[in-house]
Amino acid sequence: MSGNEYFEVKELTKQIIQQYVMNQYPWGIITRPLTPVALMILSITYIITITTLILSFIQIVVLVRYSMASLRYVKTYRRNNLSIKNIPVHKLPFVSILIPIKNENVLTIKRNLENIASLNYPRELLEVLYISDDPEYYVNGLTKIIGSMMHKLGVNARIIRRVNNTGYKGGALNYGIKHAKGDVIAVFDVDTIMPSDYLMKAVNALLNGYDAITAVWKGYYTVDNVISRLLKFMYDVYNEVFIRGRFLSGGFPAITGNNLVIWRKVLYSVNGFCECTGEDLDLSIKLRSRGYKVGLIDSDVYCEVPYTYPSFKKQFSRWLFNSIWNMKHNLSLLITSNKTTFWEKIDGLLWMLQFPSMSFAALSILVTVILSIIGVLVPPISILFLEAINAIIVIPLTIILLLISRRVGYGMWDFITNAVRSVLLTILMSFPMLAYSIESLLIDEWEWVPTPKGQLTHSYSFLKDLIHELSIILVLIAVMITLVLSNQVLTTLYIASILAILLYGFKLIIPHRY
């Protein structure tokens, strides 16, 4: 290239950059003329992109706020965030603990009953009801096991079998309430492990003015592998922000389905549990919309994390569907209630969007593919600006999460490796979550698949369990070949980097042995 040619290219490049910054390229820098069809596709794509970027920015800002509240809490460590007074034993109410079970490992049920026996609540004021949807022969076997254990542990426990197992978990709980005699209803998952003071703190809070109580839940595993360790880290650290930080900041007080203590009369006033898959979020919305007070105690509970990627994906897809179901059926109830604050209304919507938002990573990649096909070299300045501020606001969030992780027992290297793996897992799982989000918007029924507990035999079907992930990899390979043939070097490199990330992700989700 001669000196004059170099100067001309330099001046042209400078002129294009200046015009771009002045927003004189409303459709971005494009390498070929736009057809009417391409223009329509581009318009829709940009609207979706801008909407997701704005929503993502709002969510990250809110998470920064919540993470700061959580960090202040973990720094003071175990400072009670509920003003409660000790209650004399003779004034304590009778508590009925309800635990739905289905296809559960016997060892898991034994461990659960032993944990309940360790609670420092008076035994004469406590009963445990396992609501089972299992076949009669299996329930009879469990009854014998529990019968011998309850006498040994001194716990009043029994199994109730449902013949008509409809209504999902909410239906099982409503059935259990009919057989319960407590003024207080406690709901746990069979894998929930509570500290000995959990129930006493929860009941004390109820007696001091709260209507329902929950706690932050964290993870434990019975099968040690890279997936279970990663998920334990994610729940231990991220739930400090999503749950505790939200409560401490006056956000929407979402109840988690694995631990709940509530007055029976309050539960009756909202017609019990919704016989849907999202009964915990449904209950949270109904309680707050009626002005009931939901509190968070400082005793953490622990729940077993999945140990395979397909199990985690099924668990997460169930949460996603629950969120969208409640958004379709209960958002108007929350928004129109005069009992909730303005911030609770906004934060309630953000809570419902947190699981569908995982699909934003997939949307971003698919948008880039669409833009590359149309011939967009650089998107409009407004989109680049939104992408930049999203990237900037992630920095303080990452720093605060690091500080929180150090406080809850993770070292610097633990945080770095697990944070990178969680991002990798998010990108990989964003594609099925995008498909499930669309499906959830169209239907109201979802297959209820309980997350496996304990070390069970796992049937792993590569094609069936990873159909979405494999499909997008094939699509990206085809797009990359097309881009190479059309000499679009920059976009080819971007697609190649995404493809490399996804392929590396398979090393994480498909270990040699489970």
Side-chain angles (χ1 to χ4, degrees):
M1 180 183 295
S2 65
N4 289 336
E5 290 175 335
Y6 174 77
F7 179 77
E8 290 176 0
V9 171
K10 182 179 179 180
E11 286 300 313
L12 180 60
T13 303
K14 182 179 179 181
Q15 181 182 359
I16 291 174
I17 293 175
Q18 288 176 342
Q19 292 174 343
Y20 178 78
V21 173
M22 296 300 294
N23 201 27
Q24 295 182 21
Y25 291 94
W27 299 104
I29 300 176
I30 303 174
T31 59
R32 63 175 72 98
L34 289 175
T35 65
V37 174
L39 191 60
M40 181 184 67
I41 295 174
L42 204 57
S43 301
I44 297 173
T45 302
Y46 282 163
I47 291 173
I48 294 174
T49 302
I50 292 173
T51 302
T52 55
L53 286 172
I54 292 174
L55 180 57
S56 177
F57 176 75
I58 294 172
Q59 289 176 318
I60 297 172
V61 170
V62 170
L63 288 179
V64 169
R65 177 188 177 188
Y66 290 164
S67 63
M68 291 176 66
S70 177
L71 180 60
R72 287 193 294 269
Y73 173 86
V74 296
K75 279 185 175 180
T76 58
Y77 195 65
R78 294 295 178 236
R79 179 175 295 173
N80 198 339
N81 60 317
L82 287 180
S83 299
I84 60 176
K85 301 177 182 179
N86 290 325
I87 305 296
V89 174
H90 68 276
K91 293 186 178 181
L92 293 173
F94 193 94
V95 178
S96 296
I97 297 178
L98 306 184
I99 303 175
I101 58 174
K102 185 174 183 179
N103 300 325
E104 301 294 352
N105 189 303
V106 173
L107 293 178
T108 303
I109 298 176
K110 286 184 176 180
R111 184 177 62 217
N112 174 261
L113 192 56
E114 290 171 349
N115 177 240
I116 292 175
S118 70
L119 296 175
N120 61 5
Y121 203 80
R123 301 287 176 85
E124 65 275 14
L125 298 176
L126 191 65
E127 69 171 349
V128 185
L129 303 180
Y130 292 97
I131 305 102
S132 175
D133 288 345
D134 294 304
E136 186 175 2
Y137 75 89
Y138 191 74
V139 172
N140 291 338
L142 290 178
T143 300
K144 293 179 181 179
I145 295 172
I146 290 180
S148 61
M149 285 191 67
M150 62 176 283
H151 292 298
K152 180 181 179 181
L153 297 173
V155 178
N156 178 15
R158 57 195 171 107
I159 295 182
I160 302 171
R161 178 175 176 267
R162 286 202 305 164
V163 178
N164 182 18
N165 56 353
T166 59
Y168 306 100
K169 181 180 177 180
L173 292 174
N174 289 332
Y175 185 81
I177 293 172
K178 295 177 182 178
H179 295 80
K181 58 181 181 179
D183 292 323
V184 170
I185 301 296
V187 177
F188 304 114
D189 284 346
V190 70
D191 62 313
T192 304
I193 295 179
M194 301 149 284
S196 60
D197 63 353
Y198 172 92
L199 195 54
M200 186 65 77
K201 282 185 176 181
V203 170
N204 278 343
L206 292 182
L207 292 171
N208 279 278
Y210 286 87
D211 300 296
I213 291 295
T214 190
V216 174
W217 67 276
K218 298 182 177 179
Y220 72 89
Y221 51 79
T222 57
V223 179
D224 185 1
N225 62 26
V226 64
I227 291 292
S228 59
R229 291 193 299 271
L230 171 59
L231 295 183
K232 173 175 166 46
F233 165 83
M234 291 171 64
Y235 295 150
D236 288 353
V237 177
Y238 299 157
N239 281 352
E240 281 288 339
V241 176
F242 282 107
I243 301 177
R244 196 187 312 280
R246 184 171 251 106
F247 268 88
L248 293 177
S249 301
F252 176 70
I255 293 169
T256 56
N258 52 34
N259 76 101
L260 163 68
V261 181
I262 186 171
W263 286 112
R264 187 190 193 113
K265 60 184 179 182
V266 171
L267 197 54
Y268 277 163
S269 72
V270 295
N271 298 318
F273 291 95
C274 166
E275 298 197 359
C276 58
T277 62
E279 83 294 331
D280 49 357
L281 182 53
D282 175 87
L283 179 62
S284 303
I285 294 172
K286 288 178 178 177
L287 290 176
R288 284 303 301 135
S289 66
R290 288 165 172 78
Y292 287 116
K293 193 175 180 181
V294 181
L296 184 81
I297 59 173
D298 62 350
S299 292
D300 299 339
V301 304
Y302 292 83
C303 297
E304 186 176 349
V305 301
Y307 60 91
T308 68
Y309 173 75
S311 294
F312 174 60
K313 187 166 70 170
K314 289 176 182 177
Q315 182 187 65
F316 207 94
S317 66
R318 189 174 71 240
W319 294 342
L320 180 148
F321 175 80
N322 295 345
S323 297
I324 294 180
W325 188 94
N326 277 281
M327 191 159 48
K328 291 192 295 184
H329 294 270
N330 286 326
L331 181 59
S332 60
L333 178 62
L334 178 67
I335 298 299
T336 57
S337 171
N338 59 6
K339 301 292 186 179
T340 56
T341 65
F342 175 77
W343 177 240
E344 282 181 310
K345 299 177 193 294
I346 299 299
D347 193 47
L349 175 60
L350 293 177
W351 176 270
M352 296 178 210
L353 289 172
Q354 65 175 323
F355 297 113
S357 295
M358 178 178 276
S359 62
F360 286 178
L363 276 173
S364 176
I365 295 171
L366 293 176
V367 163
T368 302
V369 172
I370 293 172
L371 296 183
S372 65
I373 294 173
I374 293 175
V376 177
L377 185 62
V378 182
I381 187 68
S382 56
I383 291 179
L384 280 188
F385 173 75
L386 288 172
E387 290 175 342
I389 61 174
N390 270 272
I392 291 171
I393 198 65
V394 163
I395 296 173
L397 177 61
T398 303
I399 294 173
I400 300 172
L401 287 175
L402 168 61
L403 297 175
I404 292 175
S405 70
R406 298 289 296 275
R407 291 285 181 174
V408 298
Y410 291 92
M412 173 77 77
W413 183 246
D414 289 331
F415 174 80
I416 293 174
T417 55
N418 283 298
V420 171
R421 286 172 176 171
S422 63
V423 171
L424 185 64
L425 191 69
T426 299
I427 294 174
L428 195 63
M429 205 162 69
S430 64
F431 295 97
M433 292 306 113
L434 177 58
Y436 295 149
S437 295
I438 296 172
E439 184 179 354
S440 300
L441 288 171
L442 300 175
I443 65 173
D444 262 3
E445 294 293 329
W446 193 264
E447 182 185 7
W448 177 270
V449 181
T451 305
K453 310 295 190 308
Q455 191 165 2
L456 304 176
T457 302
H458 179 73
S459 178
Y460 193 96
S461 172
F462 189 83
L463 291 176
K464 181 180 177 181
D465 292 335
L466 302 178
I467 184 65
H468 300 95
E469 294 84 347
L470 291 171
S471 297
I472 193 60
I473 285 177
L474 293 176
V475 169
L476 291 177
I477 291 174
V479 170
M480 191 172 67
I481 293 173
T482 304
L483 293 172
V484 170
L485 295 176
S486 59
N487 295 319
Q488 296 190 41
V489 179
L490 291 177
T491 312
T492 300
L493 292 175
Y494 174 78
I495 299 297
S497 64
I498 294 297
L499 188 59
I501 291 173
L502 294 177
L503 290 174
Y504 183 76
F506 277 91
K507 182 179 178 181
L508 173 67
I509 67 173
I510 309 178
H512 296 297
R513 292 183 61 188
Y514 277 120

